[in-house]
Amino acid sequence: MATAIPLEGDVDNTGVLRIVKAGFLLAVIQAVTVVLVSIVNKSLDNPANRTLTAILVFIGAMITAFYPGTRTNPRTIEGIAGAAGIGCLATWVYVPIDAFILQPFGVYTNRWHEIGGFSIWWYLPVWWMVGTFISWQGGWILANLNNREGRISVPKAIVLTTICTLVIGAIAAAVHFPRAGWYVPTFAVAMLPGLVLANVISAMGRRRA
């Protein structure tokens, strides 16, 4: 299928096989991260619990945000959409992994179930939207850097997103935003607006000729 946007060299790689393979791999990485977080939560006490949970959540979030973009090498909406597609596919592949492996083996704690009124399915549609959004914004940030510097820069994208997330999370905790505090869930949620802010900042500056 021809694209309406001319491709340039080895950028905006959105072949179906590439998207499918990357989506499946990302889903497996996400599942492994969930299992590791579960093990840490059930076997360790604070502060080791919080520290390792924060590290694992950070790694999983950054992979979800920027791994898809490394596969599509985005520069235009074509590559950005491809990154979002990888993120979306990963969330759907995660569903059977969750239903047939993670839930039967009791990976999730009672607190996780209580959030959704003891329903084990409440988080799946949320994850479909959030997982896709994270990869979409990550792909967009990499595309901005690609256009400005002639290549994607994952380290710069991670540093920028981390700073934006920490600032937003700290502000939310400092002003006592409802349910916000100096703990992992606040900063995990803060990553969503943090990605948007990082996207805006990454778009600033002189574009590569």
Side-chain angles (χ1 to χ4, degrees):
M1 180 181 295
T3 176
I5 302 174
L7 301 184
E8 178 184 339
D10 193 35
V11 300
D12 295 323
N13 300 309
T14 55
V16 174
L17 183 59
R18 178 184 294 266
I19 299 297
V20 171
K21 289 173 63 176
F24 271 79
L25 178 57
L26 180 57
V28 172
I29 293 173
Q30 291 165 346
V32 170
T33 302
V34 168
V35 171
L36 291 176
V37 169
S38 175
I39 292 173
V40 168
N41 291 165
K42 292 178 179 180
S43 60
L44 297 177
D45 296 324
N46 290 326
N49 186 337
R50 289 186 178 180
T51 301
L52 288 178
T53 296
I55 292 173
L56 290 170
V57 169
F58 174 80
I59 292 173
M62 290 301 146
I63 291 175
T64 299
F66 300 116
Y67 168 70
T70 66
R71 301 304 301 143
T72 64
N73 193 15
R75 185 171 292 175
T76 69
I77 193 64
E78 177 84 7
I80 297 170
I86 292 173
C88 182
L89 176 61
T91 65
W92 282 92
V93 174
Y94 182 85
V95 172
I97 296 176
D98 179 82
F100 297 112
I101 299 177
L102 302 185
Q103 291 183 22
F105 281 90
V107 168
Y108 300 106
T109 63
N110 287 334
R111 179 184 298 177
W112 189 252
H113 290 156
E114 290 169 2
I115 294 174
F118 294 98
S119 169
I120 60 176
W121 298 108
W122 68 270
Y123 50 87
L124 292 179
V126 174
W127 176 230
W128 297 335
M129 293 182 286
V130 171
T132 304
F133 177 82
I134 291 174
S135 297
W136 173 46
Q137 290 296 305
W140 206 336
I141 293 169
L142 292 180
N144 289 335
L145 296 175
N146 202 355
N147 281 317
R148 191 172 63 193
E149 302 178 6
R151 61 183 179 84
I152 61 174
S153 178
V154 175
K156 286 185 179 180
I158 291 176
V159 170
L160 177 59
T161 301
T162 301
I163 292 173
C164 292
T165 298
L166 291 176
V167 169
I168 292 175
I171 291 174
V175 302
H176 304 292
F177 190 84
R179 297 188 180 277
W182 300 98
Y183 39 74
V184 175
T186 294
F187 291 91
V189 173
M191 183 183 174
L192 300 180
L195 278 166
V196 176
L197 179 58
N199 187 357
V200 173
I201 294 174
S202 67
M204 297 177 179
R206 185 174 180 178
R207 296 273 179 173
R208 189 181 74 92

